[in-house]
Amino acid sequence: MNIPATVITAVLCFGITALLGFVAIPALKRLKFGQTILDIGPAWHKSKNGTPTMGGVMFIAGVVISFAAGIAIMWASGAISMDGVGSQNLAKAISAVIMALLFGFVGFVDDLIKVKKKQNEGLKPMQKIIMQVLIIAAFFTSHIIAGDSSTVIDFPFLGQLDFGIFYYIIMGLGILYLVNAVNLTDGVDGLCSSVTLVYCAAYVLICSLVGMAEMGLVAAAAGAGCLGFMVWNLHPAKVMMGDTGSMFLGGIVTAVGIGTGTEFIMVICCAVYIWEALSVLIQMTYFKITKGKRLFKMTPIHHSFEMRGWKEGKIVAVFSAIELFACAVGILLQYFGN
């Protein structure tokens, strides 16, 4: 880990994101980019109707600017090597940010349709999936061009397994699932940003363990961006990240995990996201099988806890604690298992 560059990157991203709130939130209000709340959601969420959305642009700007600054600092100090491994690590880090930006663009289009039509449905599911699949294909292609055509997955304490061509199918589906799972986690003030902050902090350490300082800058910037966004997003939220922000973060989460070659550890560290999306799949399946019955009060699962009387702050604290535990397990497995 390049500590000076990592610290500067994190501090810069936090500052940019937090300060942009003074500009972005009034601008989003003027543009009438307000969130439309679904009628089927918790009744008390109706008070959030009209809250500025697409606030993810705040930390997206922060991540891009601070990451570029961090890379420049490492370059100036001679910490970036342009040999085979060094250039590959840099290319992967840049590819991670680009993939996140592309997912963020899909979210932006989705948000734009919602605010223009004053509804909570944007892109059609198939339109969204096609765009996401193309981004995933481009991401893997960029890795191959950079010289990383490995299809091996490391399993701590067990060894490695080469999946061959199936690696791209498995991990492609994994990215698709996790990006949309991160999106589903954004349903309570501060939840997605707090959980992702924990994930990114964990991956700063994991990037250090695997010797990928450049990717560590991506994780540090994204984590600090989430923290800066929480200044405005904790309950009661003054702005929502929208699909613009949550899909960008989904891109960061998956690109950092796969880019560092810690795919199995990534799955462990994504426990909360996986739980959120899995609750939706289980609910839908149970609903169809039982012809109208529900297993949970409401999904994604954080809404089920809301329906049981949990305050938003409690949900954020408990889910973040669960994420912290999962990430601690992931870090320990990476440290002792390889």
Side-chain angles (χ1 to χ4, degrees), residues 77-91:
S77 65
I80 292 180
S81 170
M82 290 310 293
D83 60 13
V85 175
S87 62
Q88 186 179 105
N89 287 348
L90 177 59

Side-chain angles (χ1 to χ4, degrees), residues 28 35 51-60 104 107-108 111 182-197 225-227 229-230 232-233 237-250:
L28 290 169
Q35 180 72 33
T51 302
T53 187
M54 300 171 72
V57 295
M58 293 157 55
F59 56 73
I60 291 174
F108 175 80
D111 283 335
V182 174
N183 179 234
L184 288 170
T185 306
D186 181 35
V188 169
D189 294 351
L191 181 58
C192 187
S193 46
S194 62
V195 169
T196 307
L197 166 61
C226 287
L227 186 61
F229 188 69
M230 286 167 66
W232 303 97
N233 185 239
K238 296 176 180 62
V239 66
M240 297 180 181
M241 67 173 67
D243 286 5
T244 303
S246 59
M247 286 198 179
F248 174 84
L249 292 179

Side-chain angles (χ1 to χ4, degrees), residues 1 15 24 33 39 62 100 113 152 163 219 272 275 277 280 291:
M1 180 193 304
F33 283 3
D39 291 330
I113 294 172
V152 171
F163 286 83
V272 170
W275 182 32
V280 175
K291 293 181 171 46

Side-chain angles (χ1 to χ4, degrees), residues 1-18 56-71 93 96-97 100 193 196-205 207 212-230 248-249 252-253 256:
M1 180 193 304
N2 189 296
I3 294 177
T6 303
V7 171
I8 292 172
T9 297
V11 171
L12 183 60
C13 191
F14 171 81
I16 291 172
T17 304
V57 295
M58 293 157 55
F59 56 73
I60 291 174
V63 168
V64 172
I65 294 170
S66 62
F67 170 70
I71 291 296
V97 175
S193 46
T196 307
L197 166 61
V198 175
Y199 178 93
C200 288
Y203 256 92
V204 170
L205 293 176
C207 287
M212 294 187 68
E214 297 89 347
M215 195 68 82
L217 294 182
V218 179
C226 287
L227 186 61
F229 188 69
M230 286 167 66
F248 174 84
L249 292 179
I252 290 287
V253 165
V256 168

Side-chain angles (χ1 to χ4, degrees), residues 18-30:
L19 290 174
L20 274 176
F22 291 104
V23 178
I25 296 174
L28 290 169
K29 286 181 178 178
R30 285 195 302 271

Side-chain angles (χ1 to χ4, degrees), residues 142-208:
S142 71
H143 275 216
I144 294 170
I145 292 173
D148 180 10
S149 56
S150 174
T151 53
V152 171
I153 296 179
D154 286 318
F155 295 92
F157 297 107
L158 298 176
Q160 299 181 326
L161 184 61
D162 192 340
F163 286 83
I165 191 67
F166 294 104
Y167 171 88
Y168 298 107
I169 298 172
I170 295 169
M171 295 317 302
L173 291 172
I175 294 174
L176 198 63
Y177 180 93
L178 286 173
V179 168
N180 289 290
V182 174
N183 179 234
L184 288 170
T185 306
D186 181 35
V188 169
D189 294 351
L191 181 58
C192 187
S193 46
S194 62
V195 169
T196 307
L197 166 61
V198 175
Y199 178 93
C200 288
Y203 256 92
V204 170
L205 293 176
I206 292 171
C207 287
S208 177

Side-chain angles (χ1 to χ4, degrees), residues 250-309:
I252 290 287
V253 165
T254 52
V256 168
I258 292 172
T260 51
T262 57
E263 294 90 344
F264 182 78
I265 300 299
M266 174 186 72
V267 172
I268 300 295
C269 292
C270 282
V272 170
Y273 304 128
I274 292 171
W275 182 32
E276 289 273 28
L278 192 59
S279 69
V280 175
L281 293 174
I282 292 172
Q283 183 87 315
M284 290 172 62
T285 303
Y286 188 80
F287 187 85
K288 289 180 180 178
I289 291 174
T290 60
K291 293 181 171 46
K293 292 183 179 180
R294 288 179 169 81
L295 185 62
F296 304 108
K297 285 182 177 294
M298 190 176 179
T299 57
I301 196 67
H302 57 258
H303 286 318
S304 184
F305 287 101
E306 275 194 286
M307 301 293 280
R308 293 177 185 277

